[in-house]
Amino acid sequence: MAAVSLENWTERIRDPKIECMSRDEMAVLQSKRLVDVVNRVYNNVEFYRKKMQDLGVEPGDIKGIEDINKLPFTTKEDLRDHYPFGLLAIPKKDVVRVQGTSGTTGKLTLASYSQKDIDVWGECVARCLTMAGLTDEDVLHICYGYGLFTGGLGLDFGAKALGAMAIPMSAGNTKRQMMCMEDFGATAFACTPSYALYLAESMQEAGVVDRLKLKAGIHGAEPWTEEMRKKIESILHINCFDIYGLCEITGPGVAQDCIHHTGLHIHHDYFFPEVLNPATHEACADHETGELVFTTLAKEAMPLIRYRTKDLTSIDHSACACGRTLPRISKFTGRTDDMKVIRGVNVFPTQVETALLSMGGAVAPHYLMIVDREDNLDVLTVMVEVDESMFSDEIRKLDALKNKIGAVLKQALGVSVRVKLVEPKTIQRSEGKAVRVIDNRGL
């Protein structure tokens, strides 16, 4: 069984009127929605009213989407400062759901949803599932966590909107996951990419790959590389898709790539994207990397104006080969807050992953970066899993592999690295977001 080829692919677009709309028509729709949302937050959310007054901006100054740069930014710290319901634009009694993510202070980053917000969320995920080739005849096995985390419920809402069968497995118990995928006839599954790779390797070891009906994987919630996508696809003989979302804006479904994998299509009738220079806040040109900033154009309960995601990407406004005119963001190079500055060099975990995957079968794409400070100098150690057979070889062969990995990583990162080789499955697997970096410097 091979992955679906482009030659046999049937391109499906759930809402061609919106997803293929001209830029001029879309600007008219976005302008109308922006004017409305600015009026609502100014009149109903004290935080935004004060922010705008401090800038000398009134709702009447915002006449269209071209005026968005006059508006203030919103940050995650603002959400925490107004926890739990300080940013509501509707009465609390009209909130039907809250979702949240854990915060460094122990407080949640909480987002509130009206019923209309839930309906929009489901529709956006349904558009994404359609990009992945799914229809109402498919069976979607969801092994994202359910609960306050948006992953499980977001895919569930999307499957319902699409009319597909949802299997709400949640995370954990890999053997049970595999059994239910086979027994229930799952045609697609959704989880983090790191857990998808772990599941794929487990299915391969169990010898069940050819008994499954899988054709697509929907993966997100953490940065991952093109190399990891190809690795999962090669094991399971499926097509994998990168879905993006964040609790504050709405969960998974803000954007996803289509079969052409040339960027993630943003549903910008609901979420207006800006890619800005993180330091100057000036707009980046297409294909130039910057920080992704979102304004929710139709959210009722907790609309956000120019929310700084800290995700680093670039944008492309050209039409895609699939026919959609939705702008596309590139795969994330990382986040402004997961980047580590090591001896003056910016280092992202995804660079390590790409380098390791380029080395072939002896090296697994499971790694852990540990940053220490010794004698006032930064030291980066990368733990790397290697094939078990390597540990039966001579010491000199292990040393040769370690030196080779060190050389590849130094070339990729621009800094020297200590490499520690470990046996398969030594590095802890995660069913949620993978822990890739431990920084012991206390910065």
Side-chain angles (χ1 to χ4, degrees), residues 13-262:
I13 299 177
R14 179 171 171 83
D15 189 349
K17 181 181 177 182
I18 292 293
E19 296 178 72
C20 303
M21 184 178 281
S22 73
R23 287 186 70 176
D24 288 344
E25 289 176 303
M26 182 59 71
V28 171
L29 175 60
Q30 291 169 332
S31 294
K32 181 178 182 301
R33 289 181 171 178
L34 179 65
V35 168
D36 178 64
V37 76
V38 167
N39 274 281
R40 285 195 294 113
V41 297
Y42 188 89
N43 292 318
N44 297 306
V45 185
E46 182 183 355
F47 165 77
Y48 278 118
R49 183 163 56 251
K50 186 174 186 309
K51 276 260 191 180
M52 290 175 63
Q53 288 172 345
D54 288 347
L55 290 176
V57 177
E58 296 181 350
D61 297 326
I62 308 302
K63 304 186 187 309
I65 202 69
E66 66 279 0
D67 295 321
I68 198 164
N69 60 355
K70 297 177 182 178
L71 293 167
F73 291 108
T74 311
T75 66
K76 181 165 283 193
E77 289 70 29
D78 293 327
L79 271 61
R80 289 178 181 151
D81 290 345
H82 293 81
Y83 170 91
F85 299 115
L87 295 181
L88 283 185
I90 62 174
K92 187 178 172 183
K93 69 179 180 62
D94 294 332
V95 173
V96 301
R97 174 170 293 282
V98 293
Q99 301 285 162
T101 58
S102 59
T104 55
T105 63
K107 290 287 189 182
L108 296 170
T109 300
L110 197 72
S112 300
Y113 296 77
S114 70
Q115 185 55 55
K116 180 184 174 185
D117 296 336
I118 296 296
D119 293 342
V120 167
W121 186 6
E123 170 59 26
C124 289
V125 177
R127 290 182 190 175
C128 293
L129 296 178
T130 303
M131 283 187 209
L134 305 189
T135 70
D136 57 4
E137 296 182 358
D138 281 289
V139 178
L140 179 62
H141 181 103
I142 303 168
C143 36
Y144 278 116
Y146 280 66
L148 283 173
F149 174 61
T150 56
L153 283 162
L155 270 297
D156 211 303
F157 293 148
K160 181 180 179 181
L162 186 65
M165 181 192 299
I167 309 299
M169 285 299 297
S170 195
N173 199 334
T174 299
K175 288 184 179 179
R176 190 175 180 84
Q177 300 274 5
M178 293 189 293
M179 179 189 76
C180 291
M181 279 189 192
E182 182 177 356
D183 292 350
F184 302 163
T187 56
F189 74 116
C191 62
T192 62
S194 54
Y195 190 52
L197 181 57
Y198 179 57
L199 272 173
E201 291 172 340
S202 299
M203 293 173 196
Q204 189 176 46
E205 289 175 11
V208 301
V209 172
D210 291 337
R211 301 207 300 265
L212 300 174
K213 297 180 180 178
L214 293 175
K215 64 181 182 182
I218 315 292
H219 311 305
E222 61 190 23
W224 55 308
T225 60
E226 185 71 4
E227 290 81 6
M228 183 179 277
R229 178 175 73 82
K230 290 177 179 176
K231 179 87 170 177
I232 299 167
E233 289 181 337
S234 68
I235 295 173
L236 297 180
H237 318 300
I238 64 174
N239 284 315
C240 291
F241 298 85
D242 190 355
I243 195 168
Y244 173 73
L246 57 169
C247 168
E248 303 92 306
I249 301 301
T250 197
V254 172
Q256 185 186 281
D257 58 354
C258 65
I259 190 62
H260 299 282
H261 302 300
T262 54

